[in-house]
Amino acid sequence: SFIIMPLQVDASNSCIPPSCKIIGLEPRLPTTTRGIPINLDGTGGRINSDRPLLVYPSGRLVIVREISHDLNSISSGTGTGTKDKKKNIKAFVYRGHAAEVTVAKFSPSGCYIASGDIKGKLRVWSYDNEEHLCKLDITVLSGPIHDLSWDFESKRIVIVGEGSKSDANSVCTKVIQWDSGVTCGSLAQHTMKKAYTCAFKQSRPMRIVTGGMEDSKCYFNAGPPFKRVMIVEDGKPSPSESCHVRGTIFCVRYNKQVLQALGRISLFVSIMAKLWK
């Protein structure tokens, strides 16, 4: 992140203080790692519905960019030169993490952003506040956080990543209250204590789906308090929730609050993400 400032700012601050006027800002691009998906969030939440926002991790920073501002600069023909381009970029840089950030996502309300890093630390901080105060700062996993998702009420967060192989009590999936960090149930755990992705159903009844790294399985959880839900196949509960069975995946839906398998879809690549309809 390239910042031109008239004053020096203490590196312990999570953001540039409002009293320090930024002359120019050149935000960094997302951090990439081969074989690992990049988490980009463009929802913005309800209070930001009038201006498209994009939040993504970049090193130890969290970048929030106003997409509409960038598009207007391109369409108007400005920002072609280096000097003009810096003036037309409108973004915010959050630097509250001490380790590399892996994921950052807006709450449905748009008031807060939850971000996680490679040391398993989760921070929930205010976006609609000039000081961007931190509401929650806890270590939720023993290893890196790979993904997180908010519920539609902006009250709960599901986090997935890697747990410790040596610790029997370590987990790779967890759902907590957004402000206190209290656990809201016991989610199904994946093989080798590694999970890549998760998604919170954005309506009632509340459901959580998580995807594993090593076992190629999707686990469904109902709540709160959340616990594992079995897939019903051919009228009988099926313990198998494997996404990859000889190049096929399950197509499932909820029918009268029961998870039913509709069929199988051919797929020959790994599943990196999932999303509720």
Side-chain angles (χ1 to χ4, degrees), residues 11-70:
S12 63
N13 293 330
S14 296
C15 61
I16 306 301
S19 58
C20 298
K21 186 178 179 181
I22 298 177
I23 300 174
L25 178 62
E26 185 71 26
R28 296 170 53 174
L29 296 175
T31 302
T32 59
T33 304
R34 184 176 181 180
I36 298 179
I38 304 174
N39 288 293
L40 305 176
D41 182 28
T43 55
R46 290 186 292 273
I47 66 171
N48 302 309
S49 58
D50 58 333
R51 48 175 185 155
L53 298 176
L54 177 66
V55 57
Y56 58 84
S58 181
R60 292 185 296 177
L61 308 175
V62 177
I63 311 295
V64 183
R65 296 188 63 159
E66 291 197 18
I67 303 301
S68 59
H69 195 276
D70 293 349

Side-chain angles (χ1 to χ4, degrees), residues 3-168:
I3 303 175
I4 303 174
M5 304 184 58
L7 298 176
Q8 295 293 328
V9 180
D10 186 3
S12 63
N13 293 330
S14 296
C15 61
I16 306 301
S19 58
C20 298
K21 186 178 179 181
I22 298 177
I23 300 174
L25 178 62
E26 185 71 26
R28 296 170 53 174
L29 296 175
T31 302
T32 59
T33 304
R34 184 176 181 180
I36 298 179
I38 304 174
N39 288 293
L40 305 176
D41 182 28
T43 55
R46 290 186 292 273
I47 66 171
N48 302 309
S49 58
D50 58 333
R51 48 175 185 155
L53 298 176
L54 177 66
V55 57
Y56 58 84
S58 181
R60 292 185 296 177
L61 308 175
V62 177
I63 311 295
V64 183
R65 296 188 63 159
E66 291 197 18
I67 303 301
S68 59
H69 195 276
D70 293 349
L71 294 176
N72 291 336
S73 299
I74 296 174
S75 61
S76 62
T78 60
T80 54
T82 305
K83 186 176 180 180
D84 293 334
K85 187 177 180 181
K86 290 177 182 177
K87 292 182 179 179
N88 286 307
I89 291 178
K90 193 171 184 180
F92 166 73
V93 179
Y94 180 80
R95 52 198 187 115
H97 286 269
E100 181 180 343
V101 183
T102 55
V103 59
K105 292 186 178 181
F106 272 100
S107 65
S109 65
C111 298
Y112 288 88
I113 292 179
S115 54
D117 59 34
I118 59 174
K119 291 188 176 181
K121 177 164 286 189
L122 176 74
R123 290 178 66 92
V124 180
W125 45 279
S126 172
Y127 181 73
D128 62 343
N129 181 291
E130 285 188 350
E131 297 180 356
H132 303 281
L133 301 176
C134 184
K135 183 70 174 180
L136 182 66
D137 184 6
I138 59 171
T139 300
V140 290
L141 300 179
S142 301
I145 297 174
H146 290 304
D147 197 8
L148 63 85
S149 180
W150 290 79
D151 73 339
F152 68 97
E153 295 179 333
S154 299
K155 293 182 179 180
R156 304 169 187 85
I157 306 174
V158 56
I159 307 102
V160 299
E162 299 183 28
S164 174
K165 297 180 181 179
S166 59
D167 185 3

